[in-house]
Structure formats: structure tokens, C-alpha cells
């Protein structure tokens, strides 16, 4: 890979790409950690917390979209970029939500619909509950309105 900003030549170069991108955005006080073996990059921004708080989901989505485009364009392996642990914290919240909804579905023997989620978040729910013995999951809806339904497994289904 090449280009005006020396874009990623190998997985280890993602750190340089991330730093250049955040420099171009105008951030000065941040730290970047890249874990090539996990295909992850983490950025910790220490300045302008109000701006970050208001825009963190958008920043994370935009950075990942750009990283995927760069990787695809240059036939390289992509990396996932998290900013201020937003995605990590969100994954934990979604997993907790999934388990609480599964417990409720199992106790009440009723379907529980979760809010609309993107495909990555829905996959977290499906994965978290895949081994749960009392419920099954199914995605429903279309586009941005797609969501997960958690259904209790009734005895007739088990036989």
C-alpha cells in the first residue's frame, strides 16, 4: 500500500495509519495500541471529552469504515479500531442485556424482543445465547430496524 499519507503496508503499519488519521482530524493528546494478533487497534483520546462523548459512536463507526475501505482497496487484512473502549463497553452491555432477556424469556415463557441493533451487535447476542439451554434466538425485521427475538424453548420443541 502506498499513497499520500503512507497508508498501511502490513498489519503492523496500522498504528502509523491510525496516528496519521487522528493527527489529520486534529487530535493531539491520544495514545494508540495495536494488537496485530487480535486484529485490533485501540485509541485513547485524552482531550476534548465533550466532543468525544457526543460523537463517540460515529467516530468509531467512521474509523472502522475507513479502515475496511483501506484494507479492501489494498488487498490487506482489516483491523477493528476501538476508541476510548466504546466498543468493548458496548459489547459488555449487549451481552448483559442478552443474558437478562434470556432469563426473562425462560422464566415467563414469552418471547422477548431486543431493540434494533446492527449486525455486529446482533451477532454478539446470538453468540452469547447459542449455548443457553432454555432459549433460542432469531433476527427479525429489515435494514436498520433489524432486531433479535429471544424465544423460550418449550418442551414440545425439545422432543
Amino acid at each position: 500500500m502506498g499513497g499520500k499519507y503512507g497508508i498501511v503496508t502490513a498489519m503492523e503499519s496500522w498504528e502509523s495509519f491510525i496516528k496519521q488519521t487522528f493527527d489529520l482530524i486534529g487530535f493531539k493528546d491520544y495514545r494508540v495500541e495495536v494488537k496485530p494478533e487480535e486484529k485490533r487497534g485501540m485509541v485513547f483520546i485524552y482531550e476534548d471529552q465533550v466532543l468525544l462523548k457526543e460523537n463517540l459512536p460515529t467516530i468509531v463507526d467512521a474509523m472502522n469504515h475507513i479502515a475496511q475501505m483501506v484494507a479492501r482497496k489494498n488487498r490487506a487484512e482489516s483491523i477493528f479500531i476501538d476508541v476510548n473502549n466504546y466498543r468493548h463497553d458496548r459489547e459488555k452491555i449487549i451481552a448483559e442485556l442478552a443474558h437478562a432477556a434470556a432469563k426473562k424469556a425462560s422464566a415467563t415463557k414469552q418471547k422477548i424482543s431486543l431493540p434494533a441493533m446492527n449486525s455486529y451487535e446482533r451477532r454478539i447476542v446470538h453468540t452469547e445465547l447459542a449455548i443457553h439451554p432454555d432459549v433460542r434466538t432469531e433476527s427479525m425485521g429489515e435494514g436498520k430496524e433489524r432486531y433479535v427475538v429471544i424465544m423460550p424453548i418449550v418442551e414440545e420443541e425439545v422432543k
Side-chain angles (χ1 to χ4, degrees), residues 129-136 153 158:
L129 299 181
I131 60 170
H132 196 290
D134 301 325
V135 298
R136 63 184 179 89
I153 296 175
V158 177

Side-chain angles (χ1 to χ4, degrees), residues 17 21-22 25 41 43 52 54-70 72 78-88 90-91 94 117-121 144:
F17 168 76
T21 303
F22 277 90
I25 292 170
V43 181
L52 279 176
E54 292 172 355
N55 296 287
L56 199 51
T58 303
I59 293 168
V60 171
D61 288 344
M63 284 301 299
N64 282 288
H65 182 74
I66 291 168
Q68 287 175 0
M69 287 179 56
V70 167
R72 196 174 307 135
S78 191
I79 187 172
F80 177 79
I81 302 168
D82 198 357
V83 179
N84 288 14
N85 282 326
Y86 170 78
R87 188 49 85 60
H88 178 266
R90 182 107 174 112
E91 288 171 1
I94 290 169
M117 298 178 183
N118 65 38
S119 60
Y120 178 77
E121 295 169 340
K144 292 188 183 270

Side-chain angles (χ1 to χ4, degrees), residues 16-27 30 63 66:
S16 174
F17 168 76
I18 293 167
K19 286 179 178 179
Q20 290 173 1
T21 303
F22 277 90
D23 285 345
L24 287 169
I25 292 170
F27 288 110
Y30 63 88
M63 284 301 299
I66 291 168

Side-chain angles (χ1 to χ4, degrees), residues 28-42:
K28 301 292 178 228
D29 189 13
Y30 63 88
R31 176 172 51 94
V32 175
E33 292 177 16
V34 174
K35 297 183 178 180
E37 66 283 355
E38 297 176 21
K39 299 177 190 163
R40 287 187 157 268
M42 284 97 51

